[in-house]
Amino acid sequence: MKKDIATPIRTKEILDKYGFSFKKSLGQNFLIDTNILKNIVHHSGINNDSGAIEIGPGIGALTEQIAKVAKKVVAFEIDQRLLPILKETLFDYDNISIIHKDILEADVSNVIEERFNEVNGIHVVANLPYYITTPIIMKLLSEKVPITTFTMMLQKEVAVRMAAKPGNKDYGSLSIAVQFYTEAEVVMTVPKTVFMPQPNVDSAVIHLVRREKPAVQVINENFFFEVTRASFAQRRKTILNNLTSQLLNGKEKKEEILKCLDKCSINPTRRGETLSIEEFGRLSNELYPNFT
Ligand code: SAM
């Protein structure tokens, strides 16, 4: 049995052999702790019937742990220099395919259709550059790609914001955007010391389980998100002030906005952070005819 990739010694051996240098622009902080990786796979809910999509396999540390559990793994890696390395490190696994592609340009639905017809449940797992993790999650969720769960490493504050509940200082439009489509939970916090090189920020792993249908039924999703963003534009302002100042022609439509708030039994002096997703859904449905 080969040694796990994710130990400081083995990782260094692999990097030295290929003369690999980290690219900061691609967020290359590799995990060097097998227990953390096993824990991520454990929280992902992957089993031997599952299809797994990994984004950014690096030298294959997480890929290897996923492949031990999943039926099939497809991993997207942008950095060409890693392809020969992955070929060697993952040689023993016949259930992994690597696709050399920027995930932001990949047709994930098509890949799922072509490669995952014999699996039960599709799980995305990733330790990616933090600045693209949220856009990728939102892209895959809003495009309704048939993914069952996401288990992603993130900057700790962002993970906490994604999972925050109403009334909490971290609750905002990101929490609502994520929880509209999924049930979100922070499942692990991860110290800097388990990365090579060590990042500057603390990390956490978020686990998102896609809802069968969105948390609330809305007439127009884009408008719903516009209303939530508007409501948090200035956190200290009331919902009424934020909506009148942020929505198109909101000032002229103050009376209509007040009527809609009243119809939804939402006191206009409340702040956005006190409203539940259901309240935002009802409010955006009431407001919608006034803003189209
Ligand atoms: N999964 C490995 C691990 O945990 O050790 C590597 C993680 S490293 C933080 C991020 C990886 O994502 C790198 O291998 C990087 O080249 C890759 N990557 C960065 N941007 C990407 C993109 N847009 N599409 C696909 N892969 C990307």
Side-chain angles (χ1 to χ4, degrees), residues 4-23:
D4 287 315
I5 298 166
T7 63
I9 292 174
R10 176 103 201 278
T11 299
K12 199 150 183 317
E13 254 171 39
I14 295 166
L15 298 177
D16 286 350
K17 177 170 173 189
Y18 287 88
F20 184 86
S21 54
F22 295 104
K23 263 197 194 158

Side-chain angles (χ1 to χ4, degrees), residues 26-31 54 56-58 77-78 102-103 127 129 132:
L26 294 178
Q28 291 178 333
N29 301 90
F30 295 167
L31 280 162
E54 191 196 359
E77 175 54 62
I78 196 172
D102 179 344
I103 187 64
N127 170 26
I132 61 168

Side-chain angles (χ1 to χ4, degrees), residues 19 41 62 86 159 183 255 277 286:
V41 177
L62 178 56
L86 287 163
E183 298 207 43
E255 279 314 307
I277 297 191
E286 283 298 333

